[in-house]
Amino acid sequence: AGAEAFLRFFFDQLNVAWTKPDAHALDGLCRTGDKICDGFRQVAVDLTSSRWHYATTPLTLKSLAVKGGSEMQPRAEVVQVQNAGLIVNEVGKTQQKVEATTLHLAYYLEWKSGAWRVTKILRSLA
């Protein structure tokens, strides 16, 4: 239950990172060095530095199921949708259109020092 709650919070923070934007919204939630985690962070950094943002919610969590690993290092199967939408500048002018994409990912988590974090994200064979 804790891992699921954390992942729902992680998605909320990811949406904040890209809509506000806030380059620090994912700090401490996702391990540095993982390609997908680093990519999520880099989008937030790029949006923040350009002063652009998603005009609507960028990601929707379609399904989430903890399906493996251990109690302290669970694996969750996630279906997430990058929603179709617009990236706009600070005055609302469209800078980029985003197509909808559905991703099947495996999120690996760890409980360490009293907190959850994502350690690895891999494409899943769903």
Side-chain angles (χ1 to χ4, degrees):
E4 284 187 29
F6 167 76
L7 275 174
R8 291 183 193 287
F9 173 74
F10 179 81
F11 271 87
D12 288 345
Q13 288 302 106
L14 192 50
N15 282 322
V16 166
W18 293 1
T19 56
K20 192 171 183 179
D22 181 353
H24 299 289
L26 299 175
D27 287 357
L29 302 179
C30 198
R31 183 179 66 90
T32 303
D34 177 76
K35 184 178 178 179
I36 296 175
C37 282
D38 289 347
F40 287 161
R41 257 198 281 339
Q42 191 60 51
V43 170
V45 167
D46 292 346
L47 288 169
T48 301
S49 66
S50 66
R51 297 166 64 176
W52 295 359
H53 64 276
Y54 276 75
T56 57
T57 302
L59 296 171
T60 299
L61 180 60
K62 294 296 270 184
S63 69
L64 163 62
V66 175
K67 291 191 170 185
S70 67
E71 184 178 345
M72 303 304 261
Q73 295 181 317
R75 184 188 86 242
E77 294 293 325
V78 171
V79 178
Q80 66 189 56
V81 176
Q82 179 157 352
N83 300 313
L86 302 174
I87 296 175
V88 298
N89 66 15
E90 59 193 353
V91 294
K93 182 177 178 190
T94 299
Q95 301 299 309
Q96 187 178 346
K97 291 182 180 180
V98 178
E99 299 294 323
T101 306
T102 300
L103 296 170
H104 298 263
L105 300 171
Y107 279 73
Y108 292 81
L109 309 175
E110 79 174 346
W111 176 261
K112 188 174 183 180
S113 301
W116 287 106
R117 77 175 178 158
V118 176
T119 59
K120 179 171 44 174
I121 305 171
L122 298 174
R123 293 203 183 261
S124 180
L125 299 174

Short mmCIF file of all heavy atoms in Angstrom, two decimals, residues 1-10 26-31 66 68-76 107-119:
data_model
loop_
_atom_site.label_atom_id
_atom_site.label_comp_id
_atom_site.label_asym_id
_atom_site.label_seq_id
_atom_site.Cartn_x
_atom_site.Cartn_y
_atom_site.Cartn_z
N ALA A 1 0.83 -1.20 0.00
CA ALA A 1 0.00 0.00 0.00
C ALA A 1 0.87 1.26 0.00
O ALA A 1 0.55 2.23 -0.67
CB ALA A 1 -0.94 0.00 1.20
N GLY A 2 1.97 1.22 0.75
CA GLY A 2 2.86 2.38 0.80
C GLY A 2 3.52 2.67 -0.53
O GLY A 2 3.64 3.82 -0.95
N ALA A 3 3.93 1.60 -1.23
CA ALA A 3 4.56 1.77 -2.54
C ALA A 3 3.58 2.36 -3.54
O ALA A 3 3.93 3.24 -4.33
CB ALA A 3 5.11 0.43 -3.03
N GLU A 4 2.34 1.87 -3.51
CA GLU A 4 1.32 2.40 -4.42
C GLU A 4 1.05 3.87 -4.13
O GLU A 4 0.96 4.68 -5.05
CB GLU A 4 0.03 1.60 -4.31
CG GLU A 4 0.10 0.26 -5.01
CD GLU A 4 -1.25 -0.44 -5.03
OE1 GLU A 4 -2.30 0.23 -5.03
OE2 GLU A 4 -1.24 -1.68 -5.05
N ALA A 5 0.90 4.22 -2.87
CA ALA A 5 0.66 5.62 -2.50
C ALA A 5 1.83 6.50 -2.95
O ALA A 5 1.63 7.62 -3.45
CB ALA A 5 0.44 5.74 -1.00
N PHE A 6 3.05 6.01 -2.76
CA PHE A 6 4.21 6.78 -3.20
C PHE A 6 4.18 7.00 -4.70
O PHE A 6 4.45 8.12 -5.18
CB PHE A 6 5.52 6.07 -2.80
CG PHE A 6 6.71 6.69 -3.49
CD1 PHE A 6 7.23 7.90 -3.07
CD2 PHE A 6 7.28 6.07 -4.59
CE1 PHE A 6 8.30 8.49 -3.73
CE2 PHE A 6 8.35 6.64 -5.26
CZ PHE A 6 8.86 7.86 -4.83
N LEU A 7 3.89 5.97 -5.49
CA LEU A 7 3.87 6.14 -6.94
C LEU A 7 2.79 7.11 -7.39
O LEU A 7 3.00 7.89 -8.32
CB LEU A 7 3.71 4.80 -7.66
CG LEU A 7 5.02 4.05 -7.86
CD1 LEU A 7 4.78 2.67 -8.44
CD2 LEU A 7 5.98 4.84 -8.74
N ARG A 8 1.65 7.11 -6.73
CA ARG A 8 0.60 8.10 -7.05
C ARG A 8 1.12 9.52 -6.75
O ARG A 8 0.93 10.45 -7.53
CB ARG A 8 -0.68 7.80 -6.30
CG ARG A 8 -1.35 6.53 -6.80
CD ARG A 8 -2.67 6.22 -6.13
NE ARG A 8 -3.09 4.88 -6.44
CZ ARG A 8 -3.57 4.47 -7.61
NH1 ARG A 8 -3.67 5.32 -8.60
NH2 ARG A 8 -3.92 3.21 -7.80
N PHE A 9 1.81 9.67 -5.63
CA PHE A 9 2.42 10.96 -5.29
C PHE A 9 3.49 11.33 -6.32
O PHE A 9 3.57 12.49 -6.75
CB PHE A 9 3.03 10.89 -3.88
CG PHE A 9 3.83 12.11 -3.51
CD1 PHE A 9 3.20 13.30 -3.20
CD2 PHE A 9 5.22 12.04 -3.48
CE1 PHE A 9 3.94 14.43 -2.87
CE2 PHE A 9 5.97 13.16 -3.14
CZ PHE A 9 5.33 14.36 -2.85
N PHE A 10 4.30 10.36 -6.72
CA PHE A 10 5.34 10.59 -7.72
C PHE A 10 4.72 11.15 -9.01
O PHE A 10 5.22 12.12 -9.59
CB PHE A 10 6.10 9.29 -7.99
CG PHE A 10 7.17 9.41 -9.03
CD1 PHE A 10 8.41 9.94 -8.72
CD2 PHE A 10 6.94 9.01 -10.34
CE1 PHE A 10 9.41 10.05 -9.68
CE2 PHE A 10 7.92 9.11 -11.31
CZ PHE A 10 9.16 9.64 -10.97
N LEU A 26 10.84 16.81 -8.44
CA LEU A 26 11.18 15.39 -8.33
C LEU A 26 12.40 15.13 -7.46
O LEU A 26 12.82 13.97 -7.31
CB LEU A 26 11.41 14.79 -9.73
CG LEU A 26 10.21 14.86 -10.67
CD1 LEU A 26 10.60 14.37 -12.05
CD2 LEU A 26 9.04 14.08 -10.12
N ASP A 27 12.96 16.18 -6.87
CA ASP A 27 14.15 16.02 -6.03
C ASP A 27 13.93 14.96 -4.96
O ASP A 27 12.95 15.00 -4.22
CB ASP A 27 14.55 17.34 -5.38
CG ASP A 27 15.16 18.32 -6.37
OD1 ASP A 27 15.33 17.98 -7.55
OD2 ASP A 27 15.46 19.46 -5.94
N GLY A 28 14.84 14.00 -4.90
CA GLY A 28 14.80 12.96 -3.88
C GLY A 28 13.82 11.84 -4.13
O GLY A 28 13.79 10.86 -3.40
N LEU A 29 13.02 11.94 -5.19
CA LEU A 29 12.01 10.92 -5.46
C LEU A 29 12.46 9.86 -6.45
O LEU A 29 11.87 8.79 -6.52
CB LEU A 29 10.72 11.58 -6.00
CG LEU A 29 10.07 12.62 -5.11
CD1 LEU A 29 8.83 13.18 -5.80
CD2 LEU A 29 9.73 12.04 -3.75
N CYS A 30 13.49 10.17 -7.21
CA CYS A 30 13.92 9.29 -8.30
C CYS A 30 15.44 9.30 -8.37
O CYS A 30 16.06 10.35 -8.38
CB CYS A 30 13.31 9.82 -9.59
SG CYS A 30 13.26 8.68 -10.95
N ARG A 31 16.02 8.10 -8.40
CA ARG A 31 17.48 7.97 -8.37
C ARG A 31 18.12 8.58 -9.61
O ARG A 31 17.69 8.37 -10.73
CB ARG A 31 17.86 6.49 -8.29
CG ARG A 31 19.36 6.25 -8.18
CD ARG A 31 19.66 4.77 -8.06
NE ARG A 31 19.32 4.04 -9.26
CZ ARG A 31 20.14 3.84 -10.29
NH1 ARG A 31 21.35 4.32 -10.27
NH2 ARG A 31 19.74 3.16 -11.33
N VAL A 66 1.45 -3.47 -7.93
CA VAL A 66 2.72 -3.98 -7.38
C VAL A 66 2.70 -5.49 -7.62
O VAL A 66 1.82 -6.18 -7.14
CB VAL A 66 2.87 -3.63 -5.90
CG1 VAL A 66 4.13 -4.26 -5.32
CG2 VAL A 66 2.89 -2.11 -5.71
N GLY A 68 5.84 -7.63 -7.84
CA GLY A 68 7.04 -8.41 -7.60
C GLY A 68 8.02 -7.68 -6.71
O GLY A 68 7.72 -6.64 -6.15
N GLY A 69 9.19 -8.26 -6.63
CA GLY A 69 10.21 -7.71 -5.76
C GLY A 69 9.95 -8.10 -4.33
O GLY A 69 9.24 -9.06 -4.04
N SER A 70 10.52 -7.35 -3.41
CA SER A 70 10.35 -7.63 -1.99
C SER A 70 9.57 -6.49 -1.34
O SER A 70 9.27 -5.48 -1.98
CB SER A 70 11.72 -7.77 -1.33
OG SER A 70 12.40 -6.52 -1.35
N GLU A 71 9.28 -6.63 -0.08
CA GLU A 71 8.53 -5.60 0.65
C GLU A 71 9.28 -4.27 0.64
O GLU A 71 8.67 -3.21 0.52
CB GLU A 71 8.29 -6.06 2.08
CG GLU A 71 7.43 -5.11 2.88
CD GLU A 71 7.17 -5.62 4.29
OE1 GLU A 71 7.40 -6.81 4.57
OE2 GLU A 71 6.72 -4.80 5.10
N MET A 72 10.61 -4.32 0.76
CA MET A 72 11.41 -3.10 0.81
C MET A 72 11.89 -2.64 -0.56
O MET A 72 12.38 -1.53 -0.71
CB MET A 72 12.62 -3.30 1.73
CG MET A 72 12.23 -3.72 3.14
SD MET A 72 11.10 -2.56 3.90
CE MET A 72 12.22 -1.63 4.88
N GLN A 73 11.78 -3.52 -1.56
CA GLN A 73 12.20 -3.18 -2.92
C GLN A 73 11.19 -3.76 -3.92
O GLN A 73 11.51 -4.65 -4.71
CB GLN A 73 13.60 -3.71 -3.22
CG GLN A 73 14.66 -3.03 -2.36
CD GLN A 73 16.05 -3.53 -2.68
OE1 GLN A 73 16.28 -4.73 -2.84
NE2 GLN A 73 16.98 -2.61 -2.76
N PRO A 74 9.96 -3.21 -3.92
CA PRO A 74 8.93 -3.75 -4.80
C PRO A 74 9.08 -3.28 -6.24
O PRO A 74 9.78 -2.30 -6.53
CB PRO A 74 7.64 -3.20 -4.19
CG PRO A 74 8.05 -1.94 -3.53
CD PRO A 74 9.45 -2.18 -3.03
N ARG A 75 8.42 -4.02 -7.13
CA ARG A 75 8.33 -3.66 -8.54
C ARG A 75 6.87 -3.42 -8.85
O ARG A 75 6.00 -4.20 -8.44
CB ARG A 75 8.85 -4.79 -9.44
CG ARG A 75 8.86 -4.39 -10.91
CD ARG A 75 9.20 -5.56 -11.83
NE ARG A 75 7.96 -6.28 -12.13
CZ ARG A 75 7.71 -7.53 -11.82
NH1 ARG A 75 8.59 -8.26 -11.18
NH2 ARG A 75 6.56 -8.09 -12.13
N ALA A 76 6.57 -2.33 -9.55
CA ALA A 76 5.20 -2.01 -9.91
C ALA A 76 5.07 -1.95 -11.43
O ALA A 76 5.91 -1.33 -12.10
CB ALA A 76 4.78 -0.68 -9.30
N TYR A 107 8.29 0.04 -12.70
CA TYR A 107 8.94 0.94 -11.75
C TYR A 107 9.50 0.10 -10.61
O TYR A 107 8.77 -0.66 -9.98
CB TYR A 107 7.92 1.92 -11.17
CG TYR A 107 7.62 3.11 -12.05
CD1 TYR A 107 6.86 2.98 -13.20
CD2 TYR A 107 8.09 4.37 -11.72
CE1 TYR A 107 6.57 4.08 -14.01
CE2 TYR A 107 7.80 5.48 -12.51
CZ TYR A 107 7.05 5.32 -13.65
OH TYR A 107 6.77 6.40 -14.44
N TYR A 108 10.78 0.26 -10.35
CA TYR A 108 11.44 -0.42 -9.23
C TYR A 108 11.64 0.61 -8.13
O TYR A 108 12.14 1.70 -8.38
CB TYR A 108 12.77 -1.01 -9.68
CG TYR A 108 12.60 -2.14 -10.66
CD1 TYR A 108 12.37 -1.89 -12.00
CD2 TYR A 108 12.65 -3.45 -10.23
CE1 TYR A 108 12.18 -2.93 -12.90
CE2 TYR A 108 12.47 -4.51 -11.12
CZ TYR A 108 12.23 -4.23 -12.45
OH TYR A 108 12.04 -5.26 -13.34
N LEU A 109 11.23 0.26 -6.93
CA LEU A 109 11.28 1.17 -5.80
C LEU A 109 12.15 0.62 -4.70
O LEU A 109 12.44 -0.58 -4.67
CB LEU A 109 9.87 1.38 -5.24
CG LEU A 109 8.76 1.75 -6.21
CD1 LEU A 109 7.42 1.79 -5.50
CD2 LEU A 109 9.05 3.08 -6.86
N GLU A 110 12.53 1.51 -3.79
CA GLU A 110 13.19 1.04 -2.57
C GLU A 110 12.74 1.91 -1.40
O GLU A 110 12.48 3.10 -1.57
CB GLU A 110 14.71 1.02 -2.69
CG GLU A 110 15.38 2.35 -2.55
CD GLU A 110 16.90 2.25 -2.54
OE1 GLU A 110 17.47 1.15 -2.39
OE2 GLU A 110 17.53 3.31 -2.70
N TRP A 111 12.65 1.25 -0.25
CA TRP A 111 12.36 1.94 1.01
C TRP A 111 13.69 2.04 1.73
O TRP A 111 14.31 1.04 2.06
CB TRP A 111 11.35 1.14 1.83
CG TRP A 111 11.08 1.75 3.17
CD1 TRP A 111 11.63 1.36 4.36
CD2 TRP A 111 10.20 2.83 3.46
NE1 TRP A 111 11.14 2.14 5.37
CE2 TRP A 111 10.26 3.06 4.85
CE3 TRP A 111 9.38 3.63 2.69
CZ2 TRP A 111 9.52 4.06 5.48
CZ3 TRP A 111 8.64 4.64 3.31
CH2 TRP A 111 8.72 4.82 4.69
N LYS A 112 14.15 3.27 1.94
CA LYS A 112 15.45 3.46 2.57
C LYS A 112 15.42 4.75 3.39
O LYS A 112 14.92 5.76 2.92
CB LYS A 112 16.54 3.56 1.49
CG LYS A 112 17.94 3.57 2.01
CD LYS A 112 18.93 3.51 0.86
CE LYS A 112 20.34 3.45 1.37
NZ LYS A 112 21.30 3.39 0.28
N SER A 113 15.94 4.66 4.60
CA SER A 113 16.01 5.82 5.50
C SER A 113 14.65 6.48 5.69
O SER A 113 14.53 7.70 5.72
CB SER A 113 17.03 6.84 4.98
OG SER A 113 18.31 6.26 4.87
N GLY A 114 13.61 5.65 5.78
CA GLY A 114 12.27 6.16 6.07
C GLY A 114 11.54 6.80 4.91
O GLY A 114 10.57 7.52 5.13
N ALA A 115 11.99 6.54 3.68
CA ALA A 115 11.32 7.15 2.53
C ALA A 115 11.40 6.23 1.30
O ALA A 115 12.34 5.45 1.15
CB ALA A 115 11.96 8.49 2.20
N TRP A 116 10.41 6.35 0.45
CA TRP A 116 10.40 5.64 -0.83
C TRP A 116 11.11 6.47 -1.88
O TRP A 116 11.12 7.70 -1.82
CB TRP A 116 8.96 5.42 -1.31
CG TRP A 116 8.21 4.39 -0.56
CD1 TRP A 116 7.21 4.61 0.35
CD2 TRP A 116 8.37 2.96 -0.64
NE1 TRP A 116 6.75 3.41 0.84
CE2 TRP A 116 7.44 2.39 0.24
CE3 TRP A 116 9.20 2.12 -1.37
CZ2 TRP A 116 7.31 1.02 0.42
CZ3 TRP A 116 9.09 0.76 -1.20
CH2 TRP A 116 8.16 0.22 -0.32
N ARG A 117 11.67 5.78 -2.86
CA ARG A 117 12.16 6.45 -4.07
C ARG A 117 12.17 5.45 -5.21
O ARG A 117 12.24 4.23 -5.00
CB ARG A 117 13.52 7.09 -3.87
CG ARG A 117 14.68 6.14 -3.88
CD ARG A 117 15.98 6.91 -3.81
NE ARG A 117 17.07 5.95 -3.76
CZ ARG A 117 18.29 6.22 -4.11
NH1 ARG A 117 18.61 7.42 -4.50
NH2 ARG A 117 19.22 5.30 -4.05
N VAL A 118 12.09 5.97 -6.42
CA VAL A 118 12.18 5.16 -7.63
C VAL A 118 13.67 4.93 -7.89
O VAL A 118 14.45 5.88 -7.93
CB VAL A 118 11.53 5.87 -8.83
CG1 VAL A 118 11.72 5.08 -10.11
CG2 VAL A 118 10.05 6.13 -8.57
N THR A 119 14.05 3.68 -8.07
CA THR A 119 15.47 3.38 -8.35
C THR A 119 15.71 3.09 -9.82
O THR A 119 16.80 3.29 -10.32
CB THR A 119 15.96 2.17 -7.52
OG1 THR A 119 15.17 1.04 -7.82
CG2 THR A 119 15.92 2.50 -6.04
#
